[in-house]
Structures are given as structure tokens and as C-alpha cells.
């Protein structure tokens, strides 16, 4: 039984939860059991009722993105690696974590943003972004504090590196237009 075997079982469980086959409580319970499993049969029991087709391959340790001009994005179901090295100049990169398959608890991201290099991170509940170790001379870094301290952290994105004219923005997904048009419930403060 190796750490890789446990990681693959956790990945299968996370994909199943993302597909709606497991509730959040079931996912938490099974992930904890997978991480403490001692034998292959212990792991097999945890994933026996889940389909394995369509499973992505193991996440790479490092993904390097060196982009000049244009736009790039990772959206939908993509495998989050352990580390990313991002170099942007006169280009935009959007990394959407809302449907991503998260197999590690921390993503280390080394950034080198030059003039016109813009990095946008679309987060969700349990995804925390730390940009304290990014040095910058121009551009903006907009990273909100964790919304709810009671929400368990699924992924911590740790940014390091520099920005000399680029922007870093971390934000939740935008609401669909039909939600923006809904009327607010009436309360005491509406009078």
C-alpha cells in the first residue's frame, strides 16, 4: 500500500462527489478512511460502488504556462497539480477551480507577471488563496480573506513570485444573470 494508491482512491472519491454520486458527508467520511487505509482491500471497499470510467490520469507534479499575448484558461474538470509555474506578458490566464479535480491539499504557484499579464483565480467554498509572498511594483493584487472560518479548507493556493505590471485577482464564480434579476426578500431594513 503506497501513498500513490491512497491518492488515487481519494481522487476517485472526489470525482464521484463532483458528479453528485456522494454527498459532502460521505466524501469526508470516505476520504478519511482512504487516508488511513492499511490494505488494498480497505481501499477497494471505499470505491467499489463508484464507476471508474472517465477517470482522469494522475495529476502532474508541475504544470508550466509561459504565455505571451492572448488568453488562456483552465475550466471545467481539470486536474490540479501540486505546483504551477506561470509566466504571463500581455496576456490573460483564468484558472477556474469550481469543477476542478483537487487531489492535493496545497497548490504552490510561482508567478512572474509582466506588463499586461493578468491572472484570475475562480475559487469556491473551501478554496483559500494566499498571495502574501508575491512582490509587486505595479499592478493590483485582489485576494479576499476566507469567507467563512467554519468552512473546511479543501485547497490552499500559495502564490509566490513577482508582478511588474500584471494583476492577480481571486474571486468566486459569477452568478448567472437570472439570479441577479431575482428580487431581494423584504426585511426590516427595506422599509
Amino acid at each position: 500500500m503506497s501513498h500513490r494508491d491512497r491518492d488515487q482512491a481519494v481522487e476517485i472519491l472526489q470525482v464521484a462527489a463532483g458528479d453528485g454520486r456522494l454527498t459532502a458527508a460521505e466524501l469526508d467520511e470516505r476520504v478519511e478512511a482512504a487516508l488511513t487505509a492499511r490494505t488494498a482491500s480497505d481501499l477497494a471497499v471505499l470505491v467499489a460502488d463508484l464507476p471508474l470510467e472517465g477517470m482522469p490520469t494522475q495529476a502532474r507534479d508541475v504544470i508550466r504556462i509561459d504565455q505571451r499575448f492572448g488568453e488562456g484558461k483552465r475550466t471545467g474538470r481539470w486536474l490540479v497539480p501540486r505546483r504551477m509555474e506561470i509566466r504571463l506578458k500581455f496576456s490573460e490566464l483564468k484558472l477556474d477551480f469550481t469543477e476542478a479535480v483537487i487531489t492535493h491539499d496545497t497548490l504552490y504557484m510561482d508567478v512572474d507577471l509582466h506588463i499586461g499579464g493578468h491572472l484570475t483565480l475562480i475559487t469556491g467554498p473551501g478554496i483559500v488563496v494566499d498571495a502574501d509572498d508575491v512582490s509587486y511594483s505595479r499592478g493590483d493584487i485582489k485576494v479576499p480573506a476566507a469567507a467563512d472560518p467554519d468552512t473546511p479548507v479543501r485547497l490552499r493556493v500559495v502564490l509566490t513570485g513577482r508582478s511588474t505590471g500584471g494583476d492577480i485577482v481571486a474571486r468566486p464564480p459569477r452568478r448567472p444573470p437570472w439570479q441577479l434579476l431575482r428580487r431581494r426578500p423584504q426585511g426590516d431594513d427595506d422599509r
Side-chain angles (χ1 to χ4, degrees), residues 12-176:
I12 292 168
L13 294 169
Q14 289 173 330
V15 169
D19 289 343
R21 290 187 168 92
L22 296 175
T23 66
E26 290 172 319
L27 174 64
D28 290 343
E29 181 181 316
R30 290 190 192 198
V31 165
E32 184 177 332
L35 294 175
T36 59
R38 293 181 180 245
T39 66
S41 61
D42 292 342
L43 286 180
V45 169
L46 298 172
V47 298
D49 61 333
L50 303 173
L52 301 179
E53 68 273 355
M55 262 313 295
T57 58
Q58 184 68 22
R60 293 172 48 185
D61 278 340
V62 180
I63 291 179
R64 291 177 183 87
I65 298 173
D66 190 349
Q67 184 175 315
R68 288 172 174 76
F69 304 101
E71 288 184 23
K73 61 183 173 179
R74 296 261 169 131
T75 59
R77 287 181 55 170
W78 62 283
L79 230 64
V80 177
R82 289 185 190 276
R83 211 169 55 119
M84 295 184 86
E85 296 174 1
I86 298 174
R87 312 284 177 258
L88 303 175
K89 185 173 187 178
F90 296 113
S91 60
E92 296 182 19
L93 177 63
K94 178 171 78 170
L95 301 175
D96 187 342
F97 293 96
T98 55
E99 295 179 31
V101 178
I102 298 169
T103 59
H104 310 291
D105 59 355
T106 305
L107 167 60
Y108 297 97
M109 191 178 298
D110 182 40
V111 298
D112 188 4
L113 307 180
H114 295 276
I115 293 174
H118 302 287
L119 175 63
T120 303
L121 307 174
I122 311 298
T123 62
I127 298 176
V128 177
V129 178
D130 175 358
D132 291 342
D133 290 330
V134 175
S135 63
Y136 63 101
S137 57
R138 287 174 286 185
D140 293 322
I141 297 178
K142 298 178 183 176
V143 177
D148 182 3
D150 294 332
T151 302
V153 175
R154 295 180 357 188
L155 177 66
R156 182 174 305 281
V157 181
V158 178
L159 292 149
T160 59
R162 66 185 179 145
S163 173
T164 56
D167 296 329
I168 299 172
V169 175
R171 65 171 176 80
R174 301 215 191 280
R175 294 189 317 185

